[in-house]
Amino acid sequence: MDKAKLILDGQEYELPVTRGPEGEVGIDIGKLRKESRAITLDYGYANTGSCESSITFIDGENGILRYRGYPIEQVAEHADFVEVCYLLVNGELPNADELAAFKHELTYHSMIHEDMKKFFEGYLPTAHPMAILSSMIASLSTYYPHANERVALNIIRLLAKAPTLAAFSFKKAIGQPFIYPRNDLSYTGNFLNMMFAVPAEPYQLSPTLERALNLLLILHADHEQNCSTSTVRMVGSSDANLFASISAGVCALWGPLHGGANQRVMDMLKMIHDDGGDVDKYVEKAKNREFRLMGFGHRVYKNFDPRATILKKAADEVLEELGINDPLLEIAKRLEEVALRDEFFVSRNLYPNVDFYSGLIYSAMGIPTKMFTVMFALGRMPGWLAHWKENRGNPKTRINRPRQIYTGEGARDFKEIADR
Ligand code: CMC
């Protein structure tokens, strides 16, 4: 068997090596502490593999992303988001009958319990929709308390109800009546209808918007062990229920270094625009570490993010089809151009990531900035669910419980102080 050797304090330890089919190498330190009392220290887990997974493959050096083996470029061009959900969760693409049954299930479960509507009354109209989404998803466990016994059904419930919860939070924020889900519409069409229809007049669904949303959801559907997915797996490892685990994932995604970046990109582009559009000035500020260029950089991609490449092209197409001339798109392109020529960004392998262009498309679709990260969450839902399921089904899974190097005080006597 393949082994790596570690010498610590003159003692040699042999560590088994696991190799993935794509040439990835993992040194298994599972017995290291027991044998040596040493642990590894890896801030941000940048070099730590927490699991083996057969869902998504990323080669960050070469800009490769595949869902269950299928290249993202092909999936983005040919698939429907619902098919991608099925693929990620079940491992294979559905045949026609399986797809029809899956679609039926997703529409059948799209309503939320009528009582849940009352929860929305308690939120301020200014409440961030990510806070609402995570709370509502956690609340689903009160309606479906045996979540982990009927996993397949509850996976469907989450995929079906998340768009309803997201659209209701938007309607709440703008003070309009909730629009109930409709079973005659596609997954994306139904979501757009719940977002933008009003009872007073019919809403004309735009095929451009449906297509754009389909693409955006697909591109966000999974990204292996990112912060929110690792959170879902970690929470799930304690045997917490599915809804609680996914709710935790939503919270992790909210952070501006992760999914929350899409909202921040838009704020940044507006700021640059309102300040005269001088992108060089802001590139300099980023280099001086006055702020981070949002939508730039990635832990794994060190060449380009294939999702950003697809989205840049899509942004051009969607805005043109909709007849929108957004000056922020020009600013984004100039910013990318200037940064990609700059030694600071080049030497650190900082490229636009998935969040850089997505907001411009959401914005063109009429989705407000505050909802951007919710849109990311809707896209990432099948990925979270697939990982939760995979983790639970793996007999090697143990409760996730990292170690630490303690740096605090040594033992001291409390009684001595109390006596003073
Ligand atoms: N602007 C300016 N400098 C940056 C940026 C940026 N966006 N990102 C990284 N750097 C610099 C950083 O200062 C550091 O420089 P130095 O080595 O001189 O100290 C170097 O690049 C490495 O950065 P890091 O923070 O160690 O890298 P990381 O792998 O820990 O962080 C990241 C990755 C995505 C959090 C980070 O690049 C970042 O904060 N980007 C902006 C936020 C963003 O767009 N997030 C979305 C990520 S993609 C989708 C998702 O995950 O949701």
Side-chain angles (χ1 to χ4, degrees), residues 256-259 261 289 292-299 344-345 348 350 353-355 376:
L257 297 187
H258 190 11
R289 296 167 203 281
R292 279 203 165 196
L293 216 51
M294 298 314 284
F296 255 77
H298 199 277
R299 172 61 62 78
F344 178 95
F345 292 89
R348 288 170 179 75
L350 300 172
N353 58 48
V354 68
D355 293 317
F376 193 150

